[in-house]
Amino acid sequence: EEAALLSTSWGMGQIMGENFRLVDCKSVYEMVDEAKVSERNQIVQMCHYIHNTGLIDELQNHDWAGFARHYNGPQYTKNSYDIKLADAYKEYA
């Protein structure tokens, strides 16, 4: 069960369970339980992940490719994650 939770992505941020420490949880079970409670908790986990992985600079500098490369992996261009981030920023900024 634990291996399955660790290898699954959770919440709207799709954060892998193996990163539970990066979302300030003591275990993957805590991470999953918190994510199940509310969308707010999922957003808080995303914020912790972004902060704890040092990605805040990429967001502040609008380095969408740098952010997407780290957050989504080296294949980020396959799904145009950097372009989607840039477009969303332009729409909502």
Side-chain angles (χ1 to χ4, degrees):
E1 179 181 294
E2 184 174 13
L5 296 176
L6 289 166
S7 63
T8 301
S9 56
W10 297 98
M12 66 178 70
Q14 294 294 287
I15 300 169
M16 296 296 294
E18 66 188 24
N19 294 311
F20 66 88
R21 288 181 189 88
L22 293 173
V23 300
D24 290 348
C25 290
K26 293 180 175 88
S27 70
V28 68
Y29 295 101
E30 180 182 349
M31 178 185 176
V32 172
D33 288 343
E34 284 185 6
K36 287 181 188 178
V37 170
S38 67
E39 290 176 348
R40 181 190 186 286
N41 284 2
Q42 294 172 30
I43 292 169
V44 168
Q45 287 182 348
M46 286 173 48
C47 290
H48 285 303
Y49 181 85
I50 290 166
H51 174 72
N52 290 331
T53 56
L55 286 172
I56 194 74
D57 290 338
E58 281 77 359
L59 290 180
Q60 290 173 335
N61 294 322
H62 304 168
D63 178 5
W64 310 122
F67 182 87
R69 184 181 310 106
H70 180 85
Y71 199 90
N72 301 103
Q75 299 285 326
Y76 72 95
T77 57
K78 186 175 183 179
N79 292 304
S80 304
Y81 288 125
D82 55 331
I83 295 166
K84 291 175 183 176
L85 286 167
D87 289 346
Y89 180 80
K90 287 176 193 170
E91 183 175 345
Y92 296 105

Coordinates of all heavy atoms in Angstrom, one line a residue:
E1 N 0.8 -1.2 0.0 CA 0.0 0.0 0.0 C 0.9 1.3 0.0 O 0.6 2.2 -0.8 CB -0.9 0.0 1.2 CG -1.8 1.2 1.3 CD -2.7 1.3 2.5 OE1 -3.6 0.4 2.6 OE2 -2.5 2.1 3.4
E2 N 1.9 1.3 0.9 CA 2.7 2.5 0.9 C 3.5 2.7 -0.4 O 3.5 3.9 -0.8 CB 3.7 2.4 2.1 CG 4.6 3.6 2.3 CD 5.5 3.6 3.5 OE1 5.7 2.5 4.1 OE2 6.0 4.6 3.8
A3 N 3.9 1.7 -1.0 CA 4.6 1.8 -2.3 C 3.7 2.4 -3.3 O 4.1 3.3 -4.1 CB 5.2 0.5 -2.8
A4 N 2.4 2.0 -3.3 CA 1.5 2.5 -4.3 C 1.2 4.0 -4.0 O 1.2 4.8 -5.0 CB 0.2 1.8 -4.2
L5 N 1.1 4.4 -2.8 CA 0.9 5.8 -2.4 C 2.1 6.7 -2.8 O 1.9 7.8 -3.3 CB 0.6 6.0 -0.9 CG -0.7 5.3 -0.4 CD1 -0.8 5.4 1.1 CD2 -1.9 5.8 -1.1
L6 N 3.3 6.1 -2.6 CA 4.5 6.9 -2.9 C 4.6 7.1 -4.4 O 5.2 8.1 -4.8 CB 5.7 6.1 -2.4 CG 5.9 6.1 -0.8 CD1 6.9 5.1 -0.4 CD2 6.3 7.5 -0.3
S7 N 4.1 6.2 -5.2 CA 4.3 6.2 -6.7 C 3.1 6.8 -7.4 O 3.1 6.8 -8.6 CB 4.6 4.8 -7.2 OG 3.6 4.0 -7.0
T8 N 2.2 7.4 -6.7 CA 1.0 8.0 -7.2 C 1.1 9.5 -7.1 O 1.6 10.0 -6.1 CB -0.3 7.5 -6.5 OG1 -0.3 6.1 -6.7 CG2 -1.5 8.1 -7.1
S9 N 0.6 10.3 -8.0 CA 0.5 11.7 -7.9 C -0.8 12.1 -7.3 O -1.8 11.5 -7.6 CB 0.7 12.4 -9.3 OG -0.2 12.0 -10.2
W10 N -0.7 13.2 -6.4 CA -1.9 13.5 -5.6 C -2.3 15.0 -5.8 O -1.4 15.9 -6.0 CB -1.6 13.3 -4.1 CG -1.3 11.8 -3.9 CD1 -0.1 11.2 -3.8 CD2 -2.3 10.8 -3.8 NE1 -0.3 9.8 -3.6 CE2 -1.6 9.6 -3.6 CE3 -3.7 10.8 -3.8 CZ2 -2.3 8.4 -3.4 CZ3 -4.3 9.6 -3.6 CH2 -3.6 8.4 -3.4
G11 N -3.6 15.2 -5.7 CA -4.1 16.6 -5.7 C -4.0 17.3 -7.0 O -3.5 16.7 -8.0
M12 N -4.5 18.5 -7.0 CA -4.5 19.3 -8.3 C -3.2 19.6 -8.8 O -2.9 19.8 -10.0 CB -5.4 20.5 -8.2 CG -4.9 21.5 -7.2 SD -5.9 23.0 -7.1 CE -7.3 22.4 -6.3
G13 N -2.2 19.6 -7.9 CA -0.8 19.8 -8.3 C -0.1 18.6 -8.8 O 1.0 18.6 -9.3
Q14 N -0.8 17.4 -8.7 CA -0.2 16.1 -9.1 C 1.2 15.9 -8.6 O 2.1 15.6 -9.4 CB -0.3 16.1 -10.7 CG -1.7 16.0 -11.2 CD -2.4 14.7 -10.8 OE1 -2.1 13.7 -11.4 NE2 -3.3 14.8 -9.9
I15 N 1.4 16.1 -7.3 CA 2.6 15.9 -6.6 C 2.8 14.4 -6.3 O 1.9 13.8 -5.6 CB 2.8 16.8 -5.4 CG1 2.6 18.3 -5.8 CG2 4.1 16.6 -4.7 CD1 2.4 19.2 -4.6
M16 N 3.9 13.9 -6.7 CA 4.2 12.4 -6.4 C 4.3 12.2 -4.9 O 4.8 13.0 -4.1 CB 5.5 12.0 -7.0 CG 5.5 12.0 -8.6 SD 4.2 10.9 -9.3 CE 4.9 9.3 -8.8
G17 N 3.7 11.1 -4.4 CA 3.7 10.8 -3.0 C 5.1 10.7 -2.4 O 5.3 11.0 -1.3
E18 N 6.1 10.3 -3.3 CA 7.5 10.2 -2.8 C 8.0 11.6 -2.3 O 9.0 11.7 -1.6 CB 8.4 9.7 -3.8 CG 8.5 10.6 -5.0 CD 9.3 9.9 -6.2 OE1 9.3 8.7 -6.3 OE2 9.8 10.7 -7.0
N19 N 7.3 12.7 -2.7 CA 7.7 14.0 -2.3 C 7.0 14.5 -1.0 O 6.9 15.7 -0.8 CB 7.5 15.0 -3.4 CG 8.4 14.7 -4.6 OD1 9.6 14.5 -4.5 ND2 7.8 14.6 -5.8
F20 N 6.5 13.6 -0.2 CA 5.7 14.0 0.9 C 6.4 15.0 1.9 O 5.9 15.9 2.4 CB 5.1 12.8 1.7 CG 6.2 12.0 2.4 CD1 6.6 12.3 3.7 CD2 6.7 10.9 1.7 CE1 7.6 11.5 4.3 CE2 7.6 10.1 2.4 CZ 8.1 10.4 3.6
R21 N 7.7 14.8 2.0 CA 8.5 15.7 2.9 C 8.5 17.1 2.3 O 8.6 18.1 3.0 CB 9.9 15.2 3.0 CG 10.0 14.0 3.9 CD 11.5 13.5 4.1 NE 11.5 12.2 4.8 CZ 11.5 11.0 4.2 NH1 11.4 11.0 2.9 NH2 11.5 9.9 4.9
L22 N 8.5 17.2 1.0 CA 8.6 18.6 0.3 C 7.3 19.3 0.4 O 7.2 20.5 0.1 CB 9.0 18.4 -1.2 CG 10.4 17.9 -1.4 CD1 10.6 17.6 -2.9 CD2 11.4 18.9 -0.9
V23 N 6.2 18.7 0.8 CA 4.9 19.3 1.1 C 4.7 19.5 2.6 O 3.6 19.7 3.0 CB 3.8 18.7 0.4 CG1 4.0 18.7 -1.1 CG2 3.5 17.3 0.8
D24 N 5.8 19.3 3.4 CA 5.8 19.4 4.8 C 4.9 18.4 5.5 O 4.2 18.7 6.5 CB 5.4 20.9 5.2 CG 6.5 21.9 4.9 OD1 7.6 21.4 4.5 OD2 6.3 23.1 5.0
C25 N 4.9 17.2 5.0 CA 4.2 16.1 5.7 C 5.2 15.1 6.3 O 6.3 15.0 5.8 CB 3.2 15.4 4.7 SG 1.8 16.4 4.3
K26 N 4.8 14.4 7.3 CA 5.7 13.5 8.0 C 5.7 12.1 7.3 O 6.6 11.3 7.5 CB 5.3 13.3 9.4 CG 5.5 14.6 10.3 CD 5.1 14.4 11.7 CE 5.5 15.6 12.5 NZ 4.5 16.6 12.6
S27 N 4.6 11.8 6.5 CA 4.5 10.6 5.8 C 3.6 10.8 4.6 O 2.9 11.7 4.4 CB 3.9 9.5 6.7 OG 2.5 9.8 6.9
V28 N 3.7 9.8 3.7 CA 2.8 9.8 2.5 C 1.4 9.7 2.9 O 0.5 10.3 2.3 CB 3.3 8.8 1.5 CG1 3.0 7.4 2.0 CG2 2.6 9.0 0.1
Y29 N 1.1 9.0 4.0 CA -0.2 8.8 4.5 C -0.8 10.2 4.9 O -2.0 10.5 4.6 CB -0.3 7.8 5.7 CG 0.1 6.4 5.3 CD1 1.4 5.9 5.5 CD2 -0.8 5.6 4.6 CE1 1.7 4.6 5.2 CE2 -0.5 4.3 4.2 CZ 0.8 3.8 4.5 OH 1.2 2.6 4.1
E30 N 0.0 11.0 5.6 CA -0.4 12.3 6.0 C -0.7 13.2 4.8 O -1.7 13.9 4.7 CB 0.6 13.0 6.9 CG 0.3 14.4 7.4 CD 1.3 15.0 8.2 OE1 2.3 14.3 8.6 OE2 1.2 16.2 8.4
M31 N 0.2 13.1 3.8 CA 0.0 13.9 2.6 C -1.3 13.5 1.9 O -2.1 14.4 1.5 CB 1.2 13.6 1.6 CG 1.1 14.3 0.3 SD 2.5 13.7 -0.8 CE 2.0 14.6 -2.3
V32 N -1.6 12.3 1.7 CA -2.8 11.8 1.1 C -4.0 12.2 1.9 O -5.0 12.8 1.3 CB -2.8 10.3 0.8 CG1 -4.1 9.8 0.3 CG2 -1.6 9.9 -0.2
D33 N -4.0 12.0 3.2 CA -5.1 12.4 4.0 C -5.4 13.9 3.9 O -6.6 14.3 3.8 CB -4.9 12.0 5.5 CG -4.9 10.5 5.7 OD1 -5.5 9.8 4.8 OD2 -4.5 10.0 6.7
E34 N -4.4 14.7 4.0 CA -4.6 16.2 3.9 C -5.1 16.5 2.5 O -6.0 17.4 2.4 CB -3.2 16.9 4.1 CG -2.8 16.9 5.6 CD -1.6 17.8 5.8 OE1 -1.1 18.4 4.8 OE2 -1.1 17.8 6.9
A35 N -4.6 15.9 1.4 CA -5.1 16.3 0.1 C -6.6 15.9 -0.1 O -7.3 16.6 -0.8 CB -4.2 15.6 -0.9
K36 N -7.0 14.8 0.6 CA -8.4 14.4 0.5 C -9.4 15.4 1.1 O -10.5 15.4 0.7 CB -8.6 13.0 1.1 CG -8.0 11.9 0.3 CD -8.3 10.6 1.1 CE -7.6 9.4 0.6 NZ -7.9 8.2 1.4
V37 N -8.9 16.2 2.1 CA -9.8 17.0 2.9 C -10.4 18.2 2.0 O -11.6 18.4 2.1 CB -9.1 17.6 4.1 CG1 -9.9 18.7 4.8 CG2 -8.8 16.4 5.1
S38 N -9.5 18.8 1.2 CA -10.0 20.0 0.5 C -9.0 20.4 -0.6 O -7.9 20.1 -0.6 CB -10.2 21.2 1.5 OG -8.9 21.6 2.0
E39 N -9.6 21.2 -1.5 CA -8.8 21.8 -2.5 C -7.8 22.8 -1.9 O -6.6 22.9 -2.4 CB -9.6 22.6 -3.6 CG -10.5 21.6 -4.4 CD -11.4 22.4 -5.3 OE1 -11.6 23.6 -5.2 OE2 -11.9 21.7 -6.3
R40 N -8.2 23.5 -0.8 CA -7.3 24.4 -0.2 C -6.0 23.7 0.3 O -4.9 24.2 0.1 CB -8.0 25.1 1.0 CG -7.1 26.1 1.8 CD -7.7 26.5 3.1 NE -6.9 27.5 3.7 CZ -5.8 27.3 4.3 NH1 -5.2 26.1 4.4 NH2 -5.1 28.3 4.9
N41 N -6.2 22.5 0.9 CA -5.0 21.7 1.4 C -4.1 21.4 0.2 O -2.9 21.3 0.3 CB -5.5 20.5 2.1 CG -6.0 20.8 3.5 OD1 -6.0 21.9 3.9 ND2 -6.4 19.7 4.2
Q42 N -4.7 21.0 -1.0 CA -4.0 20.7 -2.1 C -3.2 21.9 -2.6 O -2.0 21.8 -3.0 CB -4.9 20.2 -3.2 CG -5.6 18.9 -2.9 CD -6.6 18.5 -3.9 OE1 -6.5 18.8 -5.1 NE2 -7.6 17.8 -3.4
I43 N -3.7 23.1 -2.6 CA -3.0 24.3 -3.0 C -1.9 24.6 -2.0 O -0.8 25.0 -2.4 CB -4.0 25.5 -3.1 CG1 -4.9 25.3 -4.3 CG2 -3.2 26.8 -3.2 CD1 -6.1 26.2 -4.3
V44 N -2.2 24.4 -0.7 CA -1.1 24.6 0.3 C 0.0 23.6 0.0 O 1.2 24.0 0.1 CB -1.7 24.4 1.7 CG1 -0.6 24.3 2.8 CG2 -2.6 25.6 2.1
Q45 N -0.3 22.4 -0.3 CA 0.8 21.4 -0.6 C 1.6 21.9 -1.8 O 2.8 21.8 -1.8 CB 0.2 20.0 -0.8 CG -0.2 19.4 0.4 CD -0.8 18.0 0.2 OE1 -1.0 17.5 -0.9 NE2 -1.0 17.2 1.3
M46 N 0.9 22.4 -2.8 CA 1.6 22.9 -4.0 C 2.6 24.1 -3.6 O 3.7 24.1 -4.1 CB 0.7 23.4 -5.1 CG -0.1 22.3 -5.8 SD -1.4 22.9 -6.9 CE -0.6 24.2 -7.8
C47 N 2.1 24.9 -2.8 CA 2.9 26.1 -2.3 C 4.1 25.6 -1.6 O 5.2 26.1 -1.8 CB 2.1 27.0 -1.5 SG 0.8 27.9 -2.4
H48 N 3.9 24.6 -0.7 CA 5.1 24.1 0.1 C 6.1 23.4 -0.9 O 7.3 23.6 -0.8 CB 4.6 23.0 1.1 CG 4.0 23.6 2.3 ND1 4.6 24.5 3.1 CD2 2.8 23.3 2.9 CE1 3.8 24.8 4.1 NE2 2.7 24.1 4.0
Y49 N 5.6 22.7 -1.9 CA 6.5 22.1 -2.8 C 7.3 23.1 -3.6 O 8.5 23.0 -3.8 CB 5.6 21.2 -3.8 CG 6.5 20.5 -4.8 CD1 7.1 19.3 -4.5 CD2 6.8 21.0 -6.1 CE1 7.9 18.6 -5.4 CE2 7.6 20.4 -7.0 CZ 8.2 19.2 -6.7 OH 9.0 18.6 -7.6
I50 N 6.6 24.1 -4.1 CA 7.2 25.2 -4.9 C 8.3 25.9 -4.0 O 9.4 26.1 -4.5 CB 6.2 26.2 -5.4 CG1 5.4 25.5 -6.5 CG2 6.9 27.5 -5.9 CD1 4.1 26.2 -6.9
H51 N 7.9 26.2 -2.8 CA 8.9 26.9 -1.9 C 10.1 25.9 -1.6 O 11.2 26.4 -1.7 CB 8.2 27.3 -0.6 CG 9.1 27.8 0.4 ND1 9.7 29.1 0.3 CD2 9.5 27.3 1.6 CE1 10.4 29.3 1.4 NE2 10.4 28.2 2.1
N52 N 9.8 24.7 -1.2 CA 10.8 23.8 -0.7 C 11.7 23.3 -1.8 O 12.8 22.8 -1.6 CB 10.2 22.6 0.0 CG 9.7 23.1 1.4 OD1 10.1 24.0 2.0 ND2 8.6 22.4 1.8
T53 N 11.3 23.4 -3.1 CA 12.2 23.0 -4.2 C 12.9 24.2 -4.8 O 13.6 24.0 -5.8 CB 11.4 22.2 -5.3 OG1 10.3 23.0 -5.7 CG2 10.9 20.9 -4.7
G54 N 12.6 25.4 -4.3 CA 13.3 26.6 -4.8 C 12.7 27.1 -6.1 O 13.4 27.8 -6.8
L55 N 11.5 26.7 -6.4 CA 10.9 27.1 -7.7 C 10.3 28.5 -7.7 O 9.8 29.0 -8.7 CB 9.9 26.1 -8.2 CG 10.5 24.8 -8.7 CD1 9.4 23.8 -9.0 CD2 11.3 25.1 -10.0
I56 N 10.2 29.1 -6.5 CA 9.6 30.4 -6.4 C 10.3 31.5 -7.3 O 9.7 32.3 -7.9 CB 9.6 30.9 -5.0 CG1 8.6 32.1 -4.8 CG2 10.9 31.2 -4.4 CD1 7.2 31.8 -4.9
D57 N 11.6 31.3 -7.5 CA 12.4 32.3 -8.3 C 11.9 32.2 -9.8 O 11.7 33.2 -10.5 CB 13.9 32.0 -8.3 CG 14.5 32.4 -7.0 OD1 13.9 33.2 -6.2 OD2 15.6 31.8 -6.6
E58 N 11.7 30.9 -10.2 CA 11.2 30.8 -11.6 C 9.8 31.4 -11.8 O 9.6 32.1 -12.8 CB 11.1 29.3 -12.0 CG 12.4 28.6 -12.3 CD 13.3 28.3 -11.1 OE1 12.9 28.6 -10.0 OE2 14.4 27.8 -11.3
L59 N 9.0 31.3 -10.8 CA 7.7 31.9 -11.0 C 7.8 33.5 -10.9 O 7.2 34.2 -11.7 CB 6.7 31.5 -9.8 CG 6.3 30.0 -9.9 CD1 5.4 29.7 -8.7 CD2 5.6 29.7 -11.2
Q60 N 8.6 34.0 -10.0 CA 8.7 35.4 -9.9 C 9.4 36.0 -11.1 O 9.1 37.2 -11.5 CB 9.5 35.8 -8.6 CG 8.8 35.5 -7.3 CD 9.6 35.7 -6.1 OE1 10.8 35.6 -6.1 NE2 9.0 36.0 -5.0
N61 N 10.3 35.3 -11.8 CA 11.0 35.8 -13.0 C 10.2 35.4 -14.3 O 10.7 35.6 -15.4 CB 12.4 35.2 -13.0 CG 13.2 35.8 -11.9 OD1 13.1 36.9 -11.5 ND2 14.1 34.9 -11.3
H62 N 9.1 34.8 -14.1 CA 8.3 34.3 -15.3 C 9.1 33.4 -16.2 O 8.9 33.4 -17.4 CB 7.7 35.5 -16.1 CG 6.9 36.5 -15.2 ND1 6.6 37.7 -15.6 CD2 6.4 36.4 -13.9 CE1 5.9 38.4 -14.7 NE2 5.8 37.5 -13.7
D63 N 9.9 32.6 -15.6 CA 10.7 31.6 -16.3 C 9.8 30.3 -16.4 O 10.0 29.4 -15.7 CB 12.0 31.3 -15.6 CG 12.9 30.3 -16.2 OD1 12.5 29.8 -17.3 OD2 13.9 29.9 -15.7
W64 N 8.9 30.4 -17.3 CA 7.9 29.3 -17.4 C 8.6 28.0 -17.8 O 8.2 26.9 -17.3 CB 6.8 29.7 -18.4 CG 6.2 31.0 -18.1 CD1 6.2 32.1 -18.9 CD2 5.7 31.5 -16.8 NE1 5.6 33.2 -18.3 CE2 5.3 32.8 -17.0 CE3 5.4 30.9 -15.6 CZ2 4.7 33.6 -16.0 CZ3 4.8 31.6 -14.6 CH2 4.5 32.9 -14.8
A65 N 9.6 28.1 -18.7 CA 10.3 26.8 -19.1 C 11.1 26.2 -18.0 O 11.1 25.0 -17.8 CB 11.2 27.2 -20.3
G66 N 11.7 27.1 -17.2 CA 12.5 26.6 -16.0 C 11.6 26.0 -15.0 O 11.9 24.9 -14.5
F67 N 10.5 26.6 -14.8 CA 9.5 26.0 -13.8 C 9.0 24.7 -14.3 O 9.0 23.7 -13.6 CB 8.3 27.0 -13.6 CG 7.4 26.5 -12.6 CD1 7.6 26.7 -11.2 CD2 6.2 25.8 -13.0 CE1 6.7 26.3 -10.3 CE2 5.3 25.3 -12.0 CZ 5.5 25.5 -10.7
A68 N 8.5 24.7 -15.6 CA 7.9 23.5 -16.1 C 8.9 22.3 -16.2 O 8.6 21.2 -15.9 CB 7.4 23.7 -17.5
R69 N 10.2 22.7 -16.5 CA 11.2 21.6 -16.6 C 11.4 20.9 -15.3 O 11.5 19.7 -15.2 CB 12.6 22.2 -17.0 CG 13.7 21.3 -17.2 CD 15.0 21.9 -17.6 NE 14.9 22.9 -18.7 CZ 14.9 24.2 -18.6 NH1 15.1 24.7 -17.4 NH2 14.8 25.0 -19.7
H70 N 11.4 21.7 -14.2 CA 11.6 21.0 -12.9 C 10.3 20.4 -12.4 O 10.3 19.3 -11.9 CB 12.0 22.1 -11.8 CG 12.2 21.4 -10.5 ND1 13.4 20.8 -10.1 CD2 11.4 21.3 -9.4 CE1 13.3 20.3 -8.9 NE2 12.1 20.6 -8.5
Y71 N 9.2 21.1 -12.5 CA 7.9 20.6 -12.0 C 7.4 19.4 -12.8 O 6.8 18.5 -12.2 CB 6.9 21.7 -12.0 CG 5.7 21.5 -11.0 CD1 5.8 21.9 -9.7 CD2 4.6 20.8 -11.5 CE1 4.7 21.7 -8.9 CE2 3.5 20.6 -10.6 CZ 3.6 21.0 -9.3 OH 2.5 20.8 -8.5
N72 N 7.5 19.4 -14.1 CA 6.9 18.4 -15.0 C 7.9 17.4 -15.6 O 7.5 16.5 -16.2 CB 6.1 19.1 -16.1 CG 5.0 19.9 -15.5 OD1 5.1 21.1 -15.6 ND2 3.9 19.3 -15.1
G73 N 9.2 17.7 -15.4 CA 10.2 16.8 -16.0 C 10.7 17.3 -17.3 O 10.2 18.2 -17.9
P74 N 11.8 16.6 -17.8 CA 12.4 17.0 -19.0 C 11.6 17.0 -20.3 O 11.9 17.6 -21.3 CB 13.6 16.1 -19.1 CG 13.3 14.9 -18.3 CD 12.4 15.5 -17.2
Q75 N 10.5 16.2 -20.2 CA 9.6 16.1 -21.4 C 8.5 17.2 -21.4 O 7.4 17.0 -22.1 CB 8.9 14.7 -21.4 CG 9.9 13.6 -21.5 CD 10.5 13.5 -22.9 OE1 9.8 13.7 -23.9 NE2 11.7 13.1 -23.1
Y76 N 8.6 18.2 -20.6 CA 7.6 19.2 -20.4 C 7.1 19.8 -21.7 O 5.9 20.2 -21.8 CB 8.0 20.3 -19.4 CG 9.1 21.3 -20.0 CD1 8.7 22.5 -20.6 CD2 10.4 20.9 -19.9 CE1 9.6 23.3 -21.1 CE2 11.4 21.8 -20.4 CZ 11.0 23.0 -21.0 OH 11.9 23.8 -21.5
T77 N 8.0 20.0 -22.7 CA 7.6 20.6 -23.9 C 6.6 19.7 -24.7 O 5.8 20.2 -25.5 CB 8.8 20.9 -24.8 OG1 9.6 19.7 -25.1 CG2 9.7 21.9 -24.2
K78 N 6.6 18.4 -24.5 CA 5.7 17.5 -25.2 C 4.3 17.9 -24.9 O 3.4 17.8 -25.8 CB 6.0 16.1 -24.7 CG 5.2 15.0 -25.4 CD 5.6 13.6 -24.9 CE 4.9 12.6 -25.6 NZ 5.4 11.2 -25.2
N79 N 4.0 18.4 -23.7 CA 2.6 18.8 -23.4 C 2.5 20.4 -23.3 O 1.5 20.9 -22.8 CB 2.2 18.2 -22.1 CG 2.0 16.7 -22.2 OD1 1.2 16.3 -23.1 ND2 2.7 15.9 -21.4
S80 N 3.5 21.1 -23.7 CA 3.5 22.5 -23.8 C 3.2 23.2 -22.4 O 2.6 24.2 -22.4 CB 2.5 23.0 -24.8 OG 2.8 22.5 -26.1
Y81 N 3.7 22.6 -21.4 CA 3.4 23.1 -20.0 C 3.9 24.5 -19.9 O 3.3 25.4 -19.3 CB 4.1 22.2 -18.9 CG 3.3 20.9 -18.8 CD1 4.0 19.7 -18.8 CD2 2.0 20.9 -18.5 CE1 3.4 18.5 -18.7 CE2 1.3 19.7 -18.3 CZ 2.0 18.5 -18.4 OH 1.3 17.3 -18.3
D82 N 5.1 24.9 -20.4 CA 5.6 26.2 -20.3 C 4.7 27.2 -21.0 O 4.4 28.3 -20.5 CB 7.0 26.3 -20.9 CG 7.2 25.8 -22.3 OD1 6.4 24.9 -22.7 OD2 8.1 26.3 -23.0
I83 N 4.2 26.8 -22.2 CA 3.3 27.7 -22.9 C 2.0 27.9 -22.2 O 1.4 29.0 -22.1 CB 3.1 27.2 -24.4 CG1 4.5 27.2 -25.1 CG2 2.0 27.9 -25.1 CD1 4.5 26.4 -26.4
K84 N 1.5 26.8 -21.6 CA 0.2 26.9 -20.9 C 0.4 27.8 -19.7 O -0.5 28.6 -19.4 CB -0.2 25.5 -20.5 CG -0.7 24.6 -21.6 CD -1.0 23.2 -21.2 CE -1.4 22.4 -22.4 NZ -1.6 21.0 -22.1
L85 N 1.5 27.7 -19.0 CA 1.8 28.6 -17.9 C 1.8 30.0 -18.3 O 1.2 30.9 -17.7 CB 3.1 28.2 -17.1 CG 3.0 26.9 -16.3 CD1 4.5 26.5 -15.9 CD2 2.2 27.1 -15.1
A86 N 2.5 30.3 -19.4 CA 2.6 31.7 -19.9 C 1.3 32.2 -20.3 O 0.9 33.4 -20.0 CB 3.6 31.7 -21.0
D87 N 0.5 31.4 -21.0 CA -0.8 31.8 -21.4 C -1.7 32.1 -20.2 O -2.5 33.1 -20.2 CB -1.4 30.8 -22.3 CG -0.8 30.7 -23.7 OD1 0.0 31.6 -24.0 OD2 -1.0 29.7 -24.4
A88 N -1.7 31.2 -19.2 CA -2.5 31.4 -18.0 C -2.1 32.7 -17.3 O -3.0 33.5 -16.8 CB -2.4 30.2 -17.1
Y89 N -0.8 33.0 -17.2 CA -0.4 34.2 -16.6 C -0.9 35.4 -17.3 O -1.4 36.3 -16.7 CB 1.2 34.2 -16.5 CG 1.6 35.5 -15.8 CD1 1.6 35.6 -14.4 CD2 2.1 36.6 -16.6 CE1 2.0 36.8 -13.8 CE2 2.5 37.7 -15.9 CZ 2.5 37.8 -14.6 OH 2.9 39.0 -13.9
K90 N -0.8 35.4 -18.6 CA -1.3 36.6 -19.4 C -2.8 36.8 -19.2 O -3.2 37.9 -19.1 CB -1.0 36.3 -20.9 CG 0.5 36.5 -21.3 CD 0.7 36.1 -22.7 CE 2.2 35.9 -23.0 NZ 2.4 35.4 -24.4
E91 N -3.5 35.7 -19.1 CA -4.9 35.8 -19.0 C -5.4 36.3 -17.6 O -6.3 37.1 -17.5 CB -5.6 34.4 -19.2 CG -7.1 34.4 -19.2 CD -7.8 33.1 -19.5 OE1 -7.1 32.2 -20.1 OE2 -8.9 33.0 -19.2
Y92 N -4.7 35.9 -16.6 CA -5.1 36.2 -15.2 C -4.3 37.3 -14.5 O -4.7 37.7 -13.4 CB -5.2 34.9 -14.3 CG -6.2 33.9 -14.9 CD1 -5.7 32.8 -15.6 CD2 -7.5 34.1 -14.7 CE1 -6.6 31.8 -16.0 CE2 -8.4 33.2 -15.2 CZ -8.0 32.1 -15.9 OH -8.9 31.2 -16.4
A93 N -3.2 37.7 -15.1 CA -2.4 38.7 -14.4 C -3.1 40.1 -14.3 O -3.8 40.4 -15.1 CB -1.0 38.8 -15.1

